Amino acid sequence: MKTRETIKLGLVLTAYAVAACVGLAFVYAKTKAEIDKQDMVNLEIAIKELFPDAESFEDLNGTIVSSDSGVSFVNQYSVIRGGKIIGAAVQGSTGSYGGTIVVLVGVSAGGTINRVKIMSHSDTPGLGANAGKSNYFVDKKAGITFYDQFTGKKVSDSFETKNDVIAITAATITSAAVSKIVKTAGQDASRWLESRLDAEGAGQ
């Protein structure tokens, strides 16, 4: 009798566990879908910030490949105006002080950085986290923000902190991580843009 009751209790507990797992899986799937949807909306808004005069964007689906094993390209889009490609937006990620940092890089067809925007990070508040503030000055006297200093830089620049990139105070690792993404995305996107524009020119 005791064995029968134990088996029955075990079956009941198993049924509850299965039901709980199914419920959690359903909630996770629904929540993840909503999070992914919101992430995409935020990405579209960010690309528009990088290229305010753009008319449309086309997903490149991994066409641009990272030349640095330490930098992963999460998303990438061609930027179009007047039916022509004027640039590319590449979302790259790499390791930073507090974990992974994700940066969206706008690259113009002329081989320069259009703008950058940090999409997510987990660095120290008040230090590395300042990289995510578009109004954080690295040179207040000259009116240069951390974001601004990348705008207009040639993709052929070194992108080295304490050289041609002003690091955030007490956050050299974060500054170097952002610079690494911008440099890699800039160079790889620029190469793709050159090849694409050459192909379009040859087809005319």
Side-chain angles (χ1 to χ4, degrees):
M1 190 71 176
K2 205 169 184 179
T3 303
R4 190 177 296 174
E5 288 178 355
T6 301
I7 294 173
K8 185 178 179 181
L9 179 61
L11 290 172
V12 170
L13 291 174
T14 300
Y16 274 119
V18 171
C21 288
V22 171
L24 286 172
F26 177 76
V27 171
Y28 171 78
K30 187 174 181 180
T31 304
K32 187 177 185 304
E34 289 299 319
I35 292 173
D36 290 344
K37 184 178 179 180
Q38 188 57 50
D39 285 346
M40 188 54 62
V41 169
N42 292 338
L43 179 59
E44 290 174 357
I45 292 172
I47 296 175
K48 192 64 179 175
E49 288 179 16
L50 267 55
F51 293 92
D53 56 346
E55 294 173 352
S56 62
F57 312 100
E58 290 185 2
D59 194 338
L60 293 174
N61 297 308
T63 301
I64 302 174
V65 179
S66 175
S67 59
D68 188 328
S69 59
V71 176
S72 299
F73 292 162
V74 186
N75 293 291
Q76 48 190 255
Y77 296 83
S78 60
V79 182
I80 301 167
R81 186 182 68 219
K84 295 183 178 180
I85 296 174
I86 62 169
V90 178
Q91 188 178 24
S93 67
T94 193
S96 187
Y97 184 81
T100 300
I101 190 166
V102 181
V103 184
L104 183 65
V105 184
V107 187
S108 73
T112 59
I113 302 301
N114 215 51
R115 286 187 178 96
V116 303
K117 181 179 179 66
I118 293 176
M119 303 299 290
S120 67
H121 66 83
S122 53
D123 284 357
T124 309
L127 297 175
N130 286 326
K133 299 177 180 178
S134 60
N135 60 349
Y136 179 81
F137 288 95
V138 286
D139 188 337
K140 201 163 188 177
K141 189 175 181 180
I144 302 172
T145 67
F146 183 69
Y147 273 16
D148 288 343
Q149 67 178 322
F150 294 104
T151 301
K153 285 181 69 62
K154 290 289 185 182
V155 298
S156 57
D157 288 352
S158 64
F159 292 90
E160 294 177 356
T161 55
K162 299 180 181 179
N163 182 6
D164 62 334
V165 172
I166 305 173
I168 294 170
T169 303
T172 304
I173 294 175
T174 302
S175 304
V178 173
S179 299
K180 184 178 182 179
I181 294 174
V182 177
K183 178 180 181 178
T184 305
Q187 292 180 344
D188 293 339
S190 185
R191 275 193 289 269
W192 176 81
L193 284 164
E194 285 179 12
S195 64
R196 180 62 185 268
L197 294 174
D198 286 345
E200 288 182 352
Q204 290 178 352

